[in-house]
Amino acid sequence: RHRTTDTVRLLGQEINRSTLRLGKLHLSLHNAEATLETGDTLLDDRYADLRADHIVCDAPFGLKPRANLAGDPRFPFALPNPQPSHLAWAQFIVHHLTPDGIGVMTCSPGTLSARGSTAAVREAMTRAGTIEAVIQLAPGTLATTSVPPALLILRADRDHPSEGVLFVDATELGSPERGKTRELDREEI
């Protein structure tokens, strides 16, 4: 989402054409106008110059970039090896935020506990203040995986990075229904 005065624009990019068509269908059912592009977001960023107030990203679990992204200015904290890493997506989001912008993305629990170069990137992002909060959700919260996801709340520019990171355990929230995505009610949200 990118705000220019009082205008809200919805923009998106998806590598899978059938998923893109499904996204367009969902948006049209809600009478939401959006510009959706097809392509590999990390290799062919269709919104390279965009700086947005709000970014939402359901990062693919376990997807490895199709090329080496080392040295790319969108990834100032480097890339963990071996790739894949949700931290590449987190850096991508931070790169596209306005100074006051906020990003939210899903990530796997491994992103929060991996060692080695992933831990070094996570530490660098934390020290820079770009990771504002981590919310651990229950299994079944996402329709695409049974892995218990987490949400990363990201900021491009925090006034006081030393304030630390807020951790929220939301693993007991939501109503599980057999064969359905776990739903959170308004009070829980």
Side-chain angles (χ1 to χ4, degrees):
R1 184 173 117 163
H2 176 68
R3 183 177 17 176
T4 54
T5 60
D6 292 334
T7 303
V8 174
R9 291 180 15 210
L10 296 175
L11 308 171
Q13 186 169 340
E14 171 59 46
I15 195 169
N16 183 304
R17 289 185 189 278
S18 61
T19 304
L20 181 81
R21 286 192 296 271
L22 186 59
K24 286 181 178 181
L25 174 63
H26 281 287
L27 289 165
S28 69
L29 291 173
H30 294 283
N31 294 322
E33 290 186 31
T35 303
L36 301 178
E37 299 283 344
T38 304
D40 187 321
T41 307
L42 296 180
L43 295 181
D44 183 20
D45 187 356
R46 302 290 170 92
Y47 303 105
D49 296 328
L50 175 73
R51 297 301 176 264
D53 297 318
H54 300 93
I55 297 176
V56 177
C57 176
D58 184 11
F61 281 30
L63 181 68
K64 294 182 181 185
R66 298 172 191 228
N68 185 354
L69 300 171
D72 188 311
R74 297 174 298 169
F75 309 103
F77 301 107
L79 294 169
N81 280 322
Q83 296 171 4
S85 175
H86 282 98
L87 297 180
W89 288 97
Q91 291 179 73
F92 177 85
I93 291 168
V94 169
H95 172 79
H96 281 291
L97 288 172
T98 60
D100 294 330
I102 187 167
V104 178
M105 68 168 280
T106 58
C107 73
S108 69
T111 303
L112 307 175
S113 61
R115 296 180 180 190
S117 59
T118 298
V121 172
R122 191 175 56 239
E123 180 181 351
M125 291 184 73
T126 301
R127 287 187 189 282
T130 59
I131 300 175
E132 184 170 84
V134 177
I135 304 170
Q136 183 65 54
L137 300 172
T141 306
L142 296 179
T144 56
T145 181
S146 61
V147 173
L151 296 177
L152 292 182
I153 311 302
L154 305 162
R155 295 269 186 188
D157 184 28
R158 286 186 53 198
D159 293 333
H160 306 288
S162 62
E163 288 178 1
V165 177
L166 173 67
F167 289 91
V168 177
D169 180 357
T171 56
E172 298 299 319
L173 300 181
S175 304
E177 289 188 42
R178 186 177 177 120
K180 294 187 177 182
T181 304
R182 181 182 285 258
E183 298 284 332
L184 278 72
D185 63 32
R186 284 190 178 275
E187 185 178 307
E188 290 174 322
I189 293 170

